[in-house]
């Protein structure tokens, strides 16, 4: 009997009344508790607690977490009674669908070479789709839909006042099951009834009735295929496992003999070579312009990797549709991981082929040549120095077994990982302040000329800073103690500066391979360069400009939703950036995904073998992509590193301050105050020309974090590493043994 009473008590507690979101936050703050404190006590994520307190659209805890949370709030309410009684609700009410307002994006001033280059104002971007309310259970015909009063935003690339009737319900839908009904949550608050009883019929319904998809991003391109996101309940309804076994995770797919795969085969649907995995593509061969393809995303199979999508996989269907819909409207419909989507965005903006009209028949056919400005349809092998170890182009070199190629044999263009011991003067200061470059790799790609075709080998070339390629040149004579800053020579303490020519900041000791931006920067510093050999690409262009602009606009529009705009003063910018993701955790996920799209795309340009039974010297799957281009990756990273070093030199020449650590796009300085404004040389609100400037535009900087000098010295003493890279830990002060290379 006692067990029965306990069960009844638990059942009642699971519906415990909770105060409003505002009251929840007030009680937590009144007791001096942080989000992390509450999350730790309830054994949930920090973002989960933040979502419970969201004043715009709070989520509701469930199960034992709800009981414990209600108990906590009740005790706090007794300690800190509200002046006005809080409104309690026994069950969560549907969230109202709401369009987000976006401030006008200001003209972007991106800090790339040359400095302070003005770029056009971002194109109009769609408002972030509002979350859909969960419909109350009702008997409805399969053709009906429920749309709240707010209007659904059109995709970002749709001209104002126009929409494509083929995709009037948006780019994607999250499919869920509620009270036995299958529902499709679309962007803008639209909810559709789904009549499909099996996965093949779900695909048919999507293509014939759902009106999902997204218009093409460029003239010769094609529209995006509709995306269906299947919740756990939807997986169960359509016969799919809720989670993958260890063996299936390793394979990245369910077995070909699975009953659902057999259903698709019987219905004459096909899967891509990757099979039925977290991002499955189901299609039939196209007939003319009639393309039949649907993509599935299964979050419970780790399709939305938390490293790039935060807690998106745990969101309810309406909220998940809002997150993915916002990303789709501003970037593109996801085609896989953020890295895969990034490459797909490059291709969508520069399709490899285009249609031409046949002069004899008058019908359209595929052109015999690639689309100008694209990479084409066929993969291009890289030059030997650009090839990673194990690449088949190295076979012809007949290198000894276990040979390790050095800088004179291999191109090493990587992001910074540099640090030095603090000087006696720096140790007398109080703080270590970290600056982070916004969208650094995107800014590095802006205006960058990259190779589009095959490399050409040249002996004893004359260096051309406008010609993309890889150059074998000795830069060991470049002395950082005397360099050109603009038109004037300046003297610096070269021992306190990292070399711009190596990722570790070490001065080169002889000839090495460098990408064009690195060699061009050596010339900019005032030194002659004489390459002895090069692999250059005469077929070239600014392939990444559209990719940069699309991601820049997406980033600026989403940050504007948080109230962070390009016209803020430095002080207001720092205030607006403080804890901005807590204001709307869902849009915070979109920001994380946009940043991951930038970095992932650059990394994916040199994707390594992923199992596949690969052996050194053999080709691997990624090499068959036209977008497998390690030379483009090297050029972007090189340009990004040079941009950062240029700012460091400008800052040092003007202030006499030098960085103590750099990790990729984060640089750390010692200062007397905890704010970037305590050491950045602003005069009347204006920054040092060519130096660091606070702001939201790509290439400008934000505050990464502040720790004390005492913290830094204690950490380095604990690890017995005077040059431990503190930039890794400046954000939250957390240091692990992995940071010391252990």
């Amino acid at each position: 009997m006692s067990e029965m009473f306990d069960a009844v008590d638990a059942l009642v507690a699971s519906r415990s009344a909770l105060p409003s979101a505002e009251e929840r936050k007030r009680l937590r703050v009144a007791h001096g508790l942080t989000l992390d404190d509450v999350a730790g006590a309830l054994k949930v994520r920090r973002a989960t607690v933040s979502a419970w307190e969201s004043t715009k659209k709070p989520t509701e805890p469930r199960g034992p977490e709800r009981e414990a949370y209600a108990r906590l709030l009740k005790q706090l309410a007794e300690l800190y009674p509200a002046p006005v009684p809080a409104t309690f609700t026994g069950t969560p009410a549907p969230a109202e669908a709401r369009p987000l307002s976006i401030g006008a994006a200001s003209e972007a001033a991106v800090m790339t070479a040359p400095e302070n280059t003005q770029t056009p104002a971002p194109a109009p971007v769609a408002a972030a789709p509002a979350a859909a309310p969960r419909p109350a259970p009702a008997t409805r015909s399969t053709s009906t839909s429920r749309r709240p009063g707010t209007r659904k935003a059109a995709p970002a690339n749709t001209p104002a006042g126009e929409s494509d009737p083929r995709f009037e319900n948006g780019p994607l839908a999250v499919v869920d099951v509620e009270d036995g009904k299958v529902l499709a949550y679309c962007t803008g608050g639209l909810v559709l009834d789904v009549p499909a009883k099996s996965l093949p019929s779900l695909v048919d319904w999507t293509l014939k009735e759902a009106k999902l998809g997204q218009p093409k991003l460029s003239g010769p391109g094609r529209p995006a295929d509709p995306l269906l996101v299947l919740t756990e309940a939807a997986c169960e309804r359509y016969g799919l496992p809720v989670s993958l076994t260890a063996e299936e995770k390793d394979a990245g797919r369910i077995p070909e003999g699975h009953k659902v795969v057999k259903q698709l085969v019987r219905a004459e649907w096909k899967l891509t070579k990757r099979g039925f995995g977290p991002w499955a593509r189901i299609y039939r061969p196209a007939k003319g312009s009639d393309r039949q393809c649907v993509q599935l995303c299964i979050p419970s199979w780790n399709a939305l990797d938390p490293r790039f999508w935060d807690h998106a996989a745990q969101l309810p269907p309406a909220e998940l549709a809002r997150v993915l819909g916002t990303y789709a409207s501003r970037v593109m419909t996801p085609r896989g991981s953020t890295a895969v989507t990034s490459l797909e965005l490059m291709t969508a903006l520069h399709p490899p082929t285009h249609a031409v009209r046949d002069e004899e028949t008058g019908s359209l056919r595929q052109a015999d040549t690639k689309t100008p400005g694209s990479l084409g349809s066929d993969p291009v092998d890289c030059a030997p120095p650009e090839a990673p170890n194990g690449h088949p182009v190295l076979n012809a070199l007949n290198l000894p077994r276990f040979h390790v190629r050095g800088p004179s044999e291999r191109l090493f263009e990587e992001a910074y990982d540099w640090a030095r011991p603090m000087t006696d003067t720096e140790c007398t200061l109080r703080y270590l302040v970290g600056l982070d470059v916004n969208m650094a790799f995107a800014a590095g790609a802006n205006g960058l000329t990259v190779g589009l075709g095959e490399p050409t080998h040249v002996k004893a070339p004359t260096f051309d800073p406008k010609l993309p390629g890889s150059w074998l040149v000795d830069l060991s004579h470049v002395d950082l103690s005397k360099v050109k800053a603009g038109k004037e020579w300046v003297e610096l303490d070269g021992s306190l500066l990292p070399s711009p020519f190596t990722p570790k900041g070490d001065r080169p000791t002889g000839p090495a391979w460098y990408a064009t931006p690195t060699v061009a920067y050596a010339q900019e510093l005032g030194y002659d360069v004489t390459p002895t050999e090069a692999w250059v690409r005469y077929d070239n262009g600014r392939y990444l400009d559209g990719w940069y602009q699309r991601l820049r606009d997406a980033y600026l529009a989403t940050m504007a939703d948080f109230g962070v705009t390009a016209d803020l003063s430095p002080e207001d910018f720092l205030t607006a950036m403080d804890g901005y993701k807590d204001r709307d955790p869902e849009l915070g996920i979109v920001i994380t995904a946009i940043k991951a799209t930038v970095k992932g795309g650059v990394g994916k340009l040199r994707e390594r073998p992923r199992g596949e039974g690969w052996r050194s010297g053999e080709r691997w799957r990624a090499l068959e992509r036209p977008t497998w281009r390690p030379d483009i990756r090297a050029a972007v990273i090189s340009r990004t590193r040079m941009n950062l070093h240029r700012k460091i030199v400008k800052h040092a020449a003007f202030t006499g301050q030098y960085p103590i650590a750099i990790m990729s796009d984060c640089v750390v300085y010692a200062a007397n105050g905890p704010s970037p404004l305590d050491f950045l040389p602003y005069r009347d609100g204006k920054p040092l020309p060519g130096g660091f400037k606070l702001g939201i535009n790509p290439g400008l900087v934000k505050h990464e974090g502040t720790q004390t000098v005492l913290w830094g010295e204690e950490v380095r003493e604990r690890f017995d590493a005077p040059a431990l890279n503190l930039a890794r830990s400046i954000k939250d002060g957390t240091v692990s043994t992995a940071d010391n290379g252990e």
Side-chain angles (χ1 to χ4, degrees):
M1 184 65 71
S2 60
E3 293 181 359
M4 189 179 300
F5 287 163
D6 291 341
V8 170
D9 291 342
L11 187 61
V12 173
S14 68
R15 297 294 185 270
S16 298
L18 296 177
S20 65
E22 294 87 345
E23 180 66 359
R24 299 172 197 177
K25 184 174 182 178
R26 187 193 72 80
L27 292 172
R28 174 179 62 79
V29 173
H31 201 60
L33 299 175
T34 66
L35 291 172
D36 290 326
D37 292 335
V38 178
L42 301 182
K43 294 181 172 55
V44 297
R45 291 167 54 92
R46 180 181 187 275
T48 301
V49 180
S50 179
W52 294 344
E53 294 181 0
S54 173
T55 56
K56 292 185 178 180
K57 187 184 59 54
T59 59
E60 296 290 330
R62 301 176 181 176
E65 289 83 8
R66 184 182 182 92
E67 178 184 357
Y69 191 46
R71 183 183 182 89
L72 169 66
L73 295 175
K74 182 179 179 181
Q75 293 183 18
L76 293 178
E78 293 174 355
L79 294 173
Y80 310 99
V84 179
T87 301
F88 283 77
T89 56
T91 57
E96 290 185 358
R98 49 178 173 77
L100 293 176
S101 61
I102 300 179
S106 299
E107 188 174 80
V110 182
M111 306 291 282
T112 55
E115 294 292 325
N116 298 321
T117 300
Q118 295 292 323
T119 59
V125 182
R134 271 189 172 275
T139 302
R140 292 173 286 166
S141 67
T142 58
S143 61
T144 61
S145 65
R146 174 166 299 186
R147 184 190 300 272
T150 55
R151 187 173 180 178
K152 178 171 65 63
N157 55 293
T158 303
E162 298 182 18
S163 62
D164 192 323
R166 295 175 298 170
F167 315 126
E168 69 176 45
N169 292 334
L172 56 89
V174 179
V175 181
D176 191 30
V177 180
E178 182 179 322
D179 297 330
K181 295 181 179 293
V182 181
L183 303 173
Y185 290 81
C186 307
T187 58
L190 173 65
V191 183
L192 302 174
D193 279 322
V194 181
K197 304 298 183 183
S198 66
L199 194 61
S201 61
L202 176 63
V203 175
D204 279 323
W205 172 83
T206 302
L207 294 172
K208 295 177 181 178
E209 300 181 41
K211 295 185 178 181
L212 296 174
Q214 190 175 32
K216 59 187 179 181
L217 296 180
S218 66
R222 57 177 175 78
D225 299 318
L227 171 66
L228 296 181
V229 184
L230 304 185
T231 65
E232 293 183 8
C235 286
E236 292 179 342
R237 168 60 66 92
Y238 292 115
L240 293 168
V242 171
S243 60
L244 299 179
T245 65
E247 185 178 349
E248 290 167 343
K249 288 180 181 178
D250 291 339
R253 66 184 78 184
I254 59 176
E256 294 183 4
H258 193 280
K259 63 179 182 179
V260 173
V261 177
K262 291 181 178 180
Q263 288 176 1
L264 292 170
V265 172
R266 284 196 298 270
E268 298 183 346
W269 289 105
K270 296 179 179 293
L271 295 166
T272 60
K273 292 181 179 179
R274 292 191 179 274
F276 203 125
W279 290 92
R281 298 190 68 77
I282 303 171
Y283 71 99
R284 286 183 180 136
K287 297 179 181 179
S289 61
D290 182 21
R291 179 179 172 85
Q292 297 186 72
C293 184
V294 173
Q295 179 157 308
L296 301 184
C297 166
I298 306 179
S300 62
W301 295 8
N302 201 38
L304 301 176
D305 191 318
R307 293 175 297 173
F308 316 124
W309 288 99
D310 289 341
H311 61 286
Q314 281 74 52
L315 291 176
E319 286 81 352
L320 182 55
R322 179 191 178 218
V323 168
L324 295 178
T326 303
Y327 179 89
S329 67
R330 294 178 176 177
V331 180
M332 72 178 301
T333 303
R335 296 285 301 274
S337 68
T338 50
V340 169
T341 302
S342 188
L343 292 189
E344 293 288 346
L345 178 61
M346 295 179 193
T347 303
L349 294 169
H350 290 286
T353 60
H354 58 285
V356 295
R357 192 167 298 279
D358 193 297
E359 295 181 358
E360 296 181 359
T361 65
S363 60
L364 292 176
R365 62 174 178 82
Q366 185 173 300
D368 297 327
T369 57
K370 72 174 186 176
T371 304
S374 76
L375 298 181
S377 301
D378 300 320
V380 173
D381 275 339
C382 60
E386 298 163 351
N389 292 332
H391 193 286
V393 302
L394 301 178
N395 295 342
L397 301 181
N398 295 318
L399 298 173
R401 191 179 183 187
F402 305 121
H403 174 72
V404 178
R405 292 183 294 156
S408 63
E409 300 170 289
R410 179 183 174 188
L411 182 67
F412 286 93
E413 292 286 11
E414 302 294 341
Y416 264 132
D417 182 358
W418 170 86
R420 63 169 175 82
M422 283 186 276
T423 65
D424 292 342
T425 301
E426 289 166 341
C427 287
T428 64
L429 303 178
R430 297 182 61 189
Y431 297 100
L432 299 175
V433 183
L435 301 175
D436 180 73
V437 181
N438 295 320
M439 303 271 283
F441 293 103
N446 181 31
L448 177 65
T449 301
V450 300
L452 302 177
E454 297 181 350
T456 300
H457 190 214
V458 183
K459 286 285 190 178
T462 300
F463 177 68
D464 182 353
K466 297 181 180 179
L467 186 60
S470 300
W471 310 79
L472 182 61
V473 58
D474 190 348
L475 299 181
S476 61
H477 63 291
V478 178
D479 184 4
L480 295 180
S481 62
K482 187 177 182 181
V483 299
K484 267 191 175 181
K487 296 182 179 180
E488 297 181 357
W489 287 90
V490 296
E491 294 186 359
L492 304 170
D493 188 342
S495 65
L496 300 180
L497 284 172
S499 168
F501 309 126
T502 62
K504 290 292 185 181
D506 302 324
R507 186 169 179 170
T509 57
W513 286 97
Y514 301 101
T516 296
T518 303
V519 186
Y521 184 59
Q523 277 190 335
E524 182 184 325
L525 291 176
Y527 291 87
D528 294 330
V529 294
T530 309
T532 58
E533 188 180 348
W535 289 87
V536 297
R537 288 171 168 82
Y538 296 109
D539 179 12
N540 55 67
R542 292 168 57 161
Y543 175 72
L544 296 174
D545 274 10
W547 175 84
Y548 159 76
Q549 291 161 7
R550 182 78 177 176
L551 291 167
R552 175 203 63 191
D553 292 354
Y555 177 71
L556 292 179
T558 309
M559 291 304 298
D561 289 335
F562 290 105
V564 185
T565 56
D567 57 354
L568 295 176
S569 68
E571 295 81 5
D572 290 342
F573 170 72
L574 292 174
T575 300
M577 287 294 294
D578 187 20
Y580 73 94
K581 285 188 178 181
D582 291 340
R583 295 172 217 151
D584 192 328
E586 291 171 16
L587 278 186
I589 296 174
V590 178
I591 284 293
T592 299
I594 292 172
K595 292 180 179 179
T597 303
V598 173
K599 290 189 175 182
V602 174
K604 198 81 170 175
L605 290 167
R606 198 191 66 173
E607 183 179 3
R608 300 305 307 275
R610 303 172 65 183
E612 310 168 10
W614 175 80
R615 293 183 180 181
S616 181
E618 297 177 345
R619 296 188 69 83
W620 59 91
R621 182 185 299 165
L623 299 188
E624 307 310 317
R625 291 196 324 252
T627 49
W628 193 88
R629 292 295 301 271
D631 57 300
I632 296 180
R633 172 187 179 273
V636 172
I637 294 176
S638 165
R639 179 89 172 288
T640 303
R641 202 173 69 243
M642 299 311 111
N643 285 346
L644 180 57
H645 197 275
R646 185 180 294 109
K647 291 179 175 63
I648 290 171
V649 167
K650 292 274 188 179
H651 186 83
F654 188 80
T655 67
Q657 298 168 338
Y658 296 84
I660 65 167
I662 308 173
M663 173 54 65
S664 187
D665 49 5
C666 175
V667 56
V668 176
Y669 283 89
N672 262 327
S675 167
L677 291 175
D678 290 318
F679 72 95
L680 291 182
Y682 273 82
R683 289 183 175 178
D684 299 324
K686 297 181 180 180
L688 170 69
F692 295 106
K693 178 183 178 182
L694 291 167
I696 197 58
N697 286 317
L700 306 189
V701 298
K702 62 180 181 292
H703 184 204
E704 178 70 1
T706 295
Q707 304 295 329
T708 64
V709 167
L710 180 60
W711 165 85
E713 287 299 281
E714 287 178 345
V715 167
R716 287 177 165 179
E717 183 178 349
R718 174 154 52 97
F719 286 102
D720 192 23
L724 177 70
N725 197 332
L726 299 176
R728 292 178 184 270
S729 312
I730 196 69
K731 188 169 188 176
D732 58 10
T734 302
V735 184
S736 68
T737 55
D739 295 336
N740 197 28
E742 296 180 10

